[in-house]
Amino acid sequence: MSDTVTNEPEIVTFGCRLNTYESEVMRTHARNAGLGDVVIVNTCAVTSEAERQARQTIRKLRRERPNARIVVTGCAAQIDPQRYGAMPEVDQVLGNQEKLQPESWGLAPAEKVLVNDIMSVKETAGHLIGGFEDRARAFVQVQQGCDHRCTFCIIPYGRGPSRSVPIGAVVEQVQALVKAGYNEVVLSGVDITSFGPDLPGTPTLGQMVRRLLALVPELPRLRLSSLDCIEIDDDLWRLIETEPRLMPHLHLSLQAGDDMILKRMKRRHSRADAIAFCERVRALRPDMVFGADFIAGFPTETDEMFENTMRLVEECGLTWLHVFPYSPRPGTPAARMPQVDGGVRKERAARLRARGAEAEARTLASLVGREVSVLVEKDDLGRTQHFAEIRLGTPQAPGSVLRATVTGVAGGALTGTPL
């Protein structure tokens, strides 16, 4: 294929939503620096497969764009910069701190690998991120990094220690987004329930959310990204009970439903903690819907241990499951534990996803006939307050919030009629 010259920076993003938002920051920096014929590959390190796909993509990009400048960044590049720096297809490697600094993009690379020790970073990046998903939903980063050391996870070594964005800066960003027309904001981070200890006065996540909602009364809808069920503070409990603008959908980082596996993962909650959390939330807010992350086939997991995870779906009343077969990450304690056969891992992941699909179908069916609030994403497609996808039959204004009656379920999504 002949080389394609473009005046717009191209970005290829792997991994989490945080990477997606940071890609937009890099796009702005590269554009402001006058970089046109550049391809930025924002990598992920959460699984070996994600890294393999990134390297494959880099080689393919070089074949397609022989004259473009290829810059590789993200968690995989942060953790193993020399590996990517050694690839002949790569022009420069930037670390996760460097990629968000405007000055990293304005100069010709003095050295191919520009990656500092992420564990030495004590400040949040001097930016906040907002404004994606077709003008429907905005995301604001309130926290970065992680101080925990789950035995399966390499991400703290790619993202650095936990650090929080000052509450005033979060409020200013949300005020600007609401003024720009956004009706829903999602607060995001690597480990958002650890928000606050590094800030003056050591505010909690709940205190930050309470102040945010009080200071931006015109914001109709607020969501939180993945929560650790053992780290919910008193203010957040009160908001769950009393604040209608906090959407009735919480996504939990559970990972497993067996106590021995949770202990070997070095998680901070038990099976009973997860069940008690969901029961308490539902007692406060009966219409709450839960999502959860799970790893299937973690080292030493027996059939009985896996069945405990399968049963947790019903015992917690979970709806939206994100399931990953365990992927060993070199340098993590779990990679040195006795491994479960790869085929067994995939089979367990498929069974857990099927259990999740059953739970999702039950939730969707329970909504038929109800009146729901819908944030329109594009055309006639939107999301209810429970994050269920719904088709309204006729195109609506993207970003608008409207009431609708759920008329049925088709193709894994609700159907509805605007009121």
Side-chain angles (χ1 to χ4, degrees), residues 198-360:
D198 55 320
L199 296 176
T202 62
T204 62
L205 175 65
Q207 289 168 354
M208 182 269 283
V209 173
R210 177 170 52 78
R211 289 175 61 184
L212 171 64
L213 288 168
L215 291 169
V216 195
E218 62 274 29
L219 173 68
R221 294 163 64 122
L222 181 70
R223 294 190 190 274
L224 305 176
S225 63
S226 187
L227 300 175
D228 193 322
C229 68
I230 204 70
E231 294 186 330
I232 307 300
D233 62 272
D234 290 342
D235 280 87
L236 193 50
W237 280 117
R238 282 192 289 273
L239 289 167
I240 289 169
E241 180 181 15
T242 62
E243 180 49 76
R245 292 185 292 159
L246 184 63
M247 294 294 95
H249 161 243
L250 296 177
H251 192 83
L252 309 176
S253 178
L254 295 182
Q255 309 306 346
D258 179 83
D259 281 337
M260 181 56 72
I261 292 299
L262 289 168
K263 186 174 181 180
R264 288 171 179 163
M265 287 178 166
K266 209 174 179 181
R267 299 294 294 166
R268 292 164 300 288
H269 71 275
S270 68
R271 189 175 200 283
D273 290 330
I275 295 170
F277 172 83
C278 293
E279 288 177 346
R280 181 177 176 185
V281 170
R282 278 217 176 84
L284 297 174
R285 194 153 181 192
D287 67 333
M288 186 68 74
V289 171
F290 299 104
D293 295 324
F294 284 107
I295 295 172
F298 185 80
T300 77
E301 184 183 71
T302 64
D303 289 341
E304 182 181 1
M305 291 170 176
F306 174 68
E307 289 301 327
N308 283 334
T309 294
M310 290 281 281
R311 283 195 296 272
L312 193 71
V313 177
E314 278 77 32
E315 292 180 50
C316 281
L318 306 176
T319 294
W320 319 111
L321 301 193
H322 292 175
V323 179
F324 306 90
Y326 171 74
S327 176
R329 309 300 295 123
T332 60
R336 300 190 294 272
M337 297 178 186
Q339 302 293 301
V340 173
D341 175 77
V344 173
R345 283 182 239 159
K346 290 181 180 177
E347 184 266 339
R348 287 177 182 170
R351 286 178 58 200
L352 191 51
R353 288 190 187 110
R355 182 67 57 89
E358 294 168 2
E360 182 178 330

Side-chain angles (χ1 to χ4, degrees), residues 83-101:
R83 180 172 193 175
Y84 291 90
M87 293 181 70
E89 298 86 356
V90 174
D91 293 299
Q92 190 174 26
V93 179
L94 292 179
N96 268 339
Q97 181 189 18
E98 290 75 19
K99 73 180 182 182
L100 301 173
Q101 297 170 338

Side-chain angles (χ1 to χ4, degrees), residues 25 29 96-106 114 116:
V25 176
H29 290 338
N96 268 339
Q97 181 189 18
E98 290 75 19
K99 73 180 182 182
L100 301 173
Q101 297 170 338
E103 59 269 24
S104 298
W105 300 95
L114 189 61
N116 287 339

